[in-house]
Amino acid sequence: MSVIWLLLVKELHSLWRDRFMLGLVLYSFTAAVYIQAYGISHDLHNAPIGIVDGDRSPLSQAITDSLRAPFFQPPVAITAGEIDQAMDQARLIFVLDIPEGFQADLAAGRAPTIQLLIDATALMQAGLGATYIQSLVADEIARFKTGRLEQGRAAVGLQVRVAFNQSLATAWFTGTMALITNITMLSVLLTGAALQREREHGTLEHVLTMPVQPIEIMLSKVLGTGLVILVLTAISLLGILHWLIGMPLAGSIGLFLAGSVFYLFFTTSLGIFLGTLARSMAQLGLLFILVVLPMNLLSGGMTPLESMPEWLQTATRISPTTQYVAFAQAILYRGASLDVVWGEMAATFGIGLLFFVFSLTRFRAFLAAQQ
């Protein structure tokens, strides 16, 4: 253990002297998490909308007034002839065309038509906005016809209760996924880069002349990188997600960090494995993209696993990244305890242990080739 401790201190000193890598790590767990939380929004917010009000009735005015902030910008009154130009120039995402005589036809029992034009190149806002506008228009029509919403006439009353994210804040989800993604990427990259850095600078040969075992060298790199990532994870979780973004932490922070230790056992071993395959830092970067990018895309953090083909769902469930995302979301969002997430945590640790043994075998062969 004394040898591992000395090698661990050496790894931390090496990272401290590599100011570029140190700056990248600090940025990834602070500013990058905040930027991704608010830069990738799944909410309808401040969407530009135009109104062609051919009816100019109290009902059409009520519909216009219902399209309010923060979901929409103040509606822009335009004519039918200005629609094409406004949408071609991407000045408007939505245009609501209310025909002449709309209120009179509705009062007479006829079924008039309102046209909603959508710029679907703004895909996220287009889908959300279309549903929201239809709901608002339907509510105003119901209020006009009966003087109240027609919920009381429905055969079944649907009462919606939102759990775990009552404000439907996208930043909470995207910020957490940014943190988990950065944990994966930086732990793999730092470990592989540490091995490549020693190889390129010639310090690996110095280490091999010392009375140390391959497992001691590998453990020092795994523990060093894991310690740095774990500390920054705690800082990002409490400082960025909880304090700055305002995300409530429903579950135990200690349980989440304990599960992160199991996951880091796998990712750092993966970094060692990739470091033994690559012959330069550039090759390590290419291998990193080929391996880590699919892991993140198929983890269930960006898209639900249920939306994938069944064979792909089965294949991705053996990945520790998928298991980590599952129990991290359960702990941080839903306040799950150990008796709920122990299966995913055990799978993460088991697969990580197997890969550690596999990477150690590869690392031994790698060191033997260097001597």
Side-chain angles (χ1 to χ4, degrees), residues 82-104:
E82 297 173 332
I83 294 177
D84 290 341
Q85 182 180 5
M87 300 197 74
D88 289 343
Q89 295 176 354
R91 290 189 287 112
L92 298 174
I93 295 179
F94 306 99
V95 174
L96 191 63
D97 187 358
I98 304 175
E100 183 180 358
F102 174 72
Q103 177 176 309

Side-chain angles (χ1 to χ4, degrees), residues 233-301:
T233 297
I235 293 174
S236 182
L237 185 66
L238 295 173
I240 305 300
L241 289 178
H242 182 58
W243 178 72
L244 194 58
I245 296 178
M247 171 184 165
L249 302 177
S252 169
I253 299 175
L255 182 60
F256 169 72
L257 293 179
S260 298
V261 170
F262 295 156
Y263 181 60
L264 288 170
F265 197 57
F266 163 74
T267 54
T268 51
S269 300
L270 177 60
I272 293 291
F273 175 71
L274 296 181
T276 61
L277 293 180
R279 298 181 179 179
S280 65
M281 197 70 78
Q283 287 189 3
L284 176 65
L286 293 175
L287 288 173
F288 172 82
I289 293 173
L290 291 174
V291 174
V292 176
L293 184 60
M295 285 172 50
N296 285 328
L297 291 176
L298 301 176
S299 65

